[in-house]
Amino acid sequence: QVQLQESGPGRVKPSEALSLTCTVSGGSISSSFWSWIRQPAGERLEWIGRIYPTGSTNFNPSLQSRVAMSLDTSKNQISLTLTSLTAADTAVYYCARDLERRPPKKRSFWYFDLWGRGTLVSVSS
Amino acid sequence: DIRMTQSPSSLSASVGDRVTITCRASQDISTYLNWYQQKPGKAPKLLIYDVSNLETGVPSRFSGSGSGTEFTLTIGSLQPEDFATYYCQQYDNLLELTFGGGTKVEIK
């Protein structure tokens, strides 16, 4: 059974960078796509970006200039880095498996089928 | 970006009620729409993918329909464990996935 667990600093100062790690157990990160998603308190979910097994990435255009993702296959971890933080980046950050299913004669289905519990990041001085 | 708008933003219902939640997309997204359930302090859980396909283990009282710009999630007979917030999510644009604002289902 694949499980995801986010970890990070909890609190970060404005203008600094955030680094989060998602540790995957029960399966290899090399066999799936992975996304980071965040949710400010009381607000909607926001997709941050996706990383493929090759290491290539897609990012939300609204965050693209400040975000990076990487894979560490030796530790089975996915990392997120977000720079130039402001209070608006305060949120619960989730990692999720970004699953693609290919039905016959139809475009692929894509959905988040597994999620970590999330980690709260507060941006304050 | 594709803007997803849910209505209502909240509703009160009783156990046994039939509940319908609407999700509207700002442009045609065909059937590239998923639904998630989120309980307080928990991660979202996939309920339905591609408009109407139930994820494994999801009760059959949940159903989805729609295409283009208008979609619905229906709970046929609301159960105590269904009180939660529900989100739609489009994947027509895979480079900018977006979610609806959520519908909170509360106990009347």
Side-chain angles (χ1 to χ4, degrees), chain A residues 6 20 35-39 45 48 92-96 115-119, chain B residues 38 41-44:
Chain A
E6 305 88 347
L20 296 177
S35 277
W36 286 93
I37 298 153
R38 69 180 183 178
Q39 186 175 36
L45 297 151
I48 299 171
V92 175
Y93 286 72
Y94 296 99
C95 62
W115 295 67
R117 291 186 174 182
T119 186
Chain B
Q38 186 178 35
K42 301 292 186 181

Side-chain angles (χ1 to χ4, degrees), chain A residues 39 44 101 106-107 110, chain B residues 34 38 49-50 91 99:
Chain A
Q39 186 175 36
R44 71 178 66 200
R101 287 181 58 180
K106 193 178 179 182
R107 184 181 144 178
W110 285 76
Chain B
N34 304 321
Q38 186 178 35
Y49 61 92
D50 199 50
Y91 62 97
F99 292 83

Side-chain angles (χ1 to χ4, degrees), chain A residues 4-123:
Chain A
L4 291 66
Q5 178 66 60
E6 305 88 347
S7 57
R11 177 169 290 189
V12 186
K13 293 182 179 180
S15 79
E16 293 188 345
L18 168 67
S19 291
L20 296 177
T21 298
C22 174
T23 301
V24 177
S25 58
S28 171
I29 62 171
S30 299
S31 59
S32 298
F33 311 147
W34 307 95
S35 277
W36 286 93
I37 298 153
R38 69 180 183 178
Q39 186 175 36
E43 297 187 25
R44 71 178 66 200
L45 297 151
E46 179 180 33
W47 179 72
I48 299 171
R50 175 189 301 114
I51 188 164
Y52 298 84
T54 58
S56 62
T57 52
N58 302 133
F59 297 132
N60 189 320
S62 68
L63 297 169
Q64 189 162 9
S65 64
R66 301 195 290 130
V67 67
M69 293 182 186
S70 62
L71 301 174
D72 186 335
T73 54
S74 67
K75 297 181 179 178
N76 224 35
Q77 292 178 335
I78 305 121
S79 295
L80 168 71
T81 300
L82 186 63
T83 62
S84 304
L85 293 177
T86 70
D89 295 309
T90 294
V92 175
Y93 286 72
Y94 296 99
C95 62
R97 186 166 71 179
D98 201 346
L99 191 66
E100 180 190 17
R101 287 181 58 180
R102 300 184 178 183
K105 301 180 181 178
K106 193 178 179 182
R107 184 181 144 178
S108 294
F109 306 144
W110 285 76
Y111 49 83
F112 303 114
D113 70 325
L114 293 173
W115 295 67
R117 291 186 174 182
T119 186
L120 175 62
V121 175
S122 297
V123 181

Side-chain angles (χ1 to χ4, degrees), chain B residues 47-64:
Chain B
L47 290 178
I48 290 174
Y49 61 92
D50 199 50
V51 172
S52 59
N53 295 282
L54 257 61
E55 170 70 333
T56 302
V58 173
S60 59
R61 62 180 179 273
F62 290 93
S63 62

Side-chain angles (χ1 to χ4, degrees), chain B residues 13-69:
Chain B
S14 300
V15 172
D17 284 353
R18 181 180 179 88
V19 169
T20 297
I21 297 168
T22 298
C23 175
R24 291 187 172 87
S26 60
Q27 64 188 66
D28 189 340
I29 60 168
S30 185
T31 60
Y32 306 130
L33 184 105
N34 304 321
W35 289 98
Y36 299 85
Q37 176 194 67
Q38 186 178 35
K39 296 183 178 179
K42 301 292 186 181
K45 170 190 169 185
L46 176 69
L47 290 178
I48 290 174
Y49 61 92
D50 199 50
V51 172
S52 59
N53 295 282
L54 257 61
E55 170 70 333
T56 302
V58 173
S60 59
R61 62 180 179 273
F62 290 93
S63 62
S65 63
S67 66
T69 62

